[in-house]
Amino acid sequence: MTQQSTEPKTVAEDAGTGSLQPAGRSWLDRYFHISDRGSTVGREVRGGVTTFMAMVYIVLLNPVILTSAQDITKAHLDAGQVTTATALAAAVTTIAMGFLGNVPLALAAGLSVSAVMAFQVAPTMTWDNAWAMCIIYGAVIVLLVVTGLRELIMNAIPLPLKHAITMGIGLFVCLIGLVQAGFVTSMPGPGGIAGSKPIQLGTTDMLTGWPVACFAFTVLLIFLLQIRKVPGAILIGIVGGTIVAAIVHQLAGLTPKDWGGINAPVLSGSPVSSPDFGLLGHVSFSGLGDVGGITIGVIVFTLVLAGFFDAMGTIIGIGQQAGLADKDGKMPGLNKALAIDGAGGIVGGLAGASGQTVFVESTAGVGDGARTGFASVITGLGFALCLFFTPLAQVIPTQVAAAALVVIGSMMLTNAKHINWDDPATSIPVFLTTVLMPFTYSITAGIAAGCIAYVAIKAVQGKWREPGWLMWVLSVVFLAYFALSPIEQWLGVHH
């Protein structure tokens, strides 16, 4: 008798291998289950490159965030060292996700975590202590994974809310793309008085500048290629948009400042740079006791929430988009991916790059065909090359890369077809989850609102047992999340 695996199959694997199954499978194919998931090596490489091009901006943006803050001793971080640390940590964690997790998820310094590190953690302690806090929060998440609690939480979320998370992330990454491109900007009024608009078209309520035009061109190009069913539409669009941007840059006499001062389609000087590993291993746990137990507890709680639920929502959304979830919305082998994501906090702390987390930009590679961890390996190798070729990463304008996020956002909204919009008990939590992610610029806030609404509605309907005890616990935690500011004031925690 042949023993068969009892592990649930993903949608891709359950669909069969079809014509993509080769007669003689290579080691690469067998290890990453490439043909089993209906993919090819070429498609995985293309998807990995696409993800890298969509998120390489983090190598330049993360140093901007971390170097803009100072620690309790008024010390600032060196931009070159943070750049090296950012590329190193992203390469290590993403390659690990590929080889060990075998999912097309790329990791890098989470902007929400970096913001907490820079503006909440560092002002209360030294940078060496801040990296120690990063390691602590990563260890807490790993502990939650080892105990099975993190996977239990993800599986406890009802399937409609998982679809809502996918849709919300779609709108979220679309908004990120629009903002990065300058297509949408903020328009704050004095003191937030009536009449001011939170967002606007362009910078003056109209589109201005060649970079925005290059963004619009790239979006349209990718959509047209997709309509024509051209393989690699997103990657081709990004490359084509970069070429057009380079031509526009020269003919219009633009400067790097016109492109936002981060990425410009021009290579100045040598394409090779020397990495500076000055932050590697600069971690200190001594002196944390002087900060205060309550302050440390609040910081860890904030970092865990920032890293835990943002990554959870991203993994759910991308897993469903890639067909890696079974019919109940659960991902086989999920615990490995969660463990690596949790360990990203530890790796980021050791490298001096802030906590690493799964990036929503991974959707770009998935949208271009990536289905296995081999795509993540390719993305990780791209970050490894950034250690020595950072100038080349700056050639892809942020506006061009942002176009891929808008396209992916539209693709993720197709999950709306799975929602029973006629059932308020389903549609209301789904609505809140979906819209609050982009409106609050927070994946965690969307998940929190959806879970609280779902449990409250079930309780009002007299079905309070239906959500399960874990959803009730999550709702209490999320209520504390929304009430964190008054709780901090009550505890006497100051930032």
Side-chain angles (χ1 to χ4, degrees):
M1 180 185 297
T2 302
Q3 185 175 4
Q4 296 184 354
S5 173
T6 58
E7 182 176 319
K9 293 182 178 181
T10 67
V11 172
E13 291 169 339
D14 192 53
T17 55
S19 60
L20 290 173
Q21 177 71 46
R25 300 179 62 184
S26 65
W27 171 87
L28 199 66
D29 189 1
R30 294 194 306 272
Y31 184 86
F32 289 105
H33 305 291
I34 294 175
S35 58
D36 289 340
R37 296 187 183 178
S39 186
T40 64
V41 173
R43 190 180 297 173
E44 295 301 306
V45 171
R46 188 178 68 220
V49 172
T50 299
T51 294
F52 171 72
M53 295 178 72
M55 61 185 289
V56 68
Y57 70 87
I58 192 63
V59 176
L60 304 167
L61 185 58
N62 192 50
V64 172
I65 296 175
L66 292 180
T67 58
S68 64
Q70 59 185 16
D71 67 8
I72 196 170
T73 66
K74 309 299 182 183
H76 286 270
L77 296 173
D78 178 78
Q81 293 178 347
V82 178
T83 299
T84 297
T86 302
L88 175 64
V92 170
T93 51
T94 301
I95 291 175
M97 181 66 80
F99 274 113
L100 303 179
N102 194 23
V103 284
L105 300 172
L107 294 85
L111 294 181
S112 58
V113 177
S114 291
V116 173
M117 291 290 294
F119 306 114
Q120 181 172 336
V121 180
T124 64
M125 59 188 71
T126 66
W127 281 111
D128 289 353
N129 286 154
W131 304 135
M133 292 298 299
C134 197
I135 292 175
I136 291 173
Y137 109 78
V140 170
I141 294 181
V142 170
L143 181 62
L144 292 175
V145 174
V146 172
T147 58
L149 183 58
R150 194 176 189 187
E151 185 172 12
L152 196 63
I153 290 173
M154 292 184 69
N155 290 336
I157 296 177
L159 187 57
L161 283 186
K162 290 181 179 179
H163 289 308
I165 290 171
T166 303
M167 295 157 53
I169 290 176
L171 290 177
F172 183 51
V173 298
C174 178
L175 180 58
I176 290 175
L178 293 172
V179 171
Q180 286 184 346
F183 196 93
V184 169
T185 62
S186 62
M187 184 181 177
I193 60 174
S196 64
K197 295 191 299 183
I199 58 176
Q200 63 177 342
L201 178 67
T203 55
T204 57
D205 218 9
M206 65 178 64
L207 298 179
T208 56
W210 283 108
V212 176
C214 291
F215 159 79
F217 167 80
T218 307
V219 170
L220 182 60
L221 175 61
I222 296 175
F223 276 135
L224 292 178
L225 290 172
Q226 286 185 329
I227 291 173
R228 297 293 299 177
K229 301 187 184 301
V230 176
I234 295 177
L235 179 56
I236 294 173
I238 292 176
V239 173
T242 301
I243 293 173
V244 170
I247 295 173
V248 168
H249 181 83
Q250 294 298 325
L251 295 180
L254 303 181
T255 67
K257 185 178 180 181
D258 294 316
W259 297 93
I262 299 178
N263 290 34
V266 59
L267 182 62
S268 58
S270 173
V272 181
S273 60
S274 299
D276 185 345
F277 297 99
L279 289 176
L280 185 62
H282 276 241
V283 179
S284 175
F285 291 89
S286 62
L288 286 178
D290 299 333
V291 177
I294 294 178
T295 299
I296 289 178
V298 171
I299 288 174
V300 171
F301 179 72
T302 304
L303 285 171
V304 168
L305 279 179
F308 188 107
F309 290 104
D310 273 22
M312 186 187 78
T314 302
I315 291 173
I316 289 175
I318 297 174
Q320 288 192 328
Q321 185 190 3
L324 300 180
D326 62 20
K327 57 183 177 63
D328 297 320
K330 300 178 181 179
M331 285 177 58
L334 174 64
N335 233 29
K336 291 182 180 178
L338 293 176
I340 296 167
D341 175 76
I346 300 174
V347 173
L350 291 173
S354 182
Q356 308 295 291
T357 187
V358 173
F359 258 51
V360 292
E361 283 82 355
S362 301
T363 55
V366 171
D368 225 6
R371 294 294 180 270
T372 75
F374 186 54
S376 295
V377 173
I378 298 299
T379 302
L381 291 176
F383 281 115
L385 289 175
C386 276
L387 291 170
F388 307 95
F389 295 95
T390 299
L392 284 180
Q394 302 177 45
V395 174
I396 308 168
T398 300
Q399 292 82 355
V400 171
L405 303 184
V406 174
V407 173
I408 294 303
S410 70
M411 296 168 62
M412 298 183 75
L413 282 178
T414 59
N415 275 48
K417 64 186 177 185
H418 301 297
I419 305 300
N420 181 9
W421 295 102
D422 294 326
D423 178 16
T426 298
S427 61
I428 292 175
V430 166
F431 169 77
L432 292 174
T433 302
T434 302
V435 301
L436 285 183
M437 286 189 191
F439 289 169
T440 62
Y441 224 65
S442 168
I443 294 174
T444 300
I447 297 175
C451 287
I452 293 173
Y454 178 81
V455 168
I457 290 173
K458 290 299 181 181
V460 170
Q461 291 179 326
K463 303 176 182 178
W464 59 273
R465 287 190 179 90
E466 188 172 317
W469 69 270
L470 196 49
M471 283 292 290
W472 278 98
V473 172
L474 278 180
S475 296
V476 173
V477 172
F478 283 136
L479 285 172
Y481 165 72
F482 283 126
L484 191 57
S485 179
I487 290 175
E488 288 179 345
Q489 295 177 8
W490 177 58
L491 294 175
V493 178
H494 303 286
H495 302 314

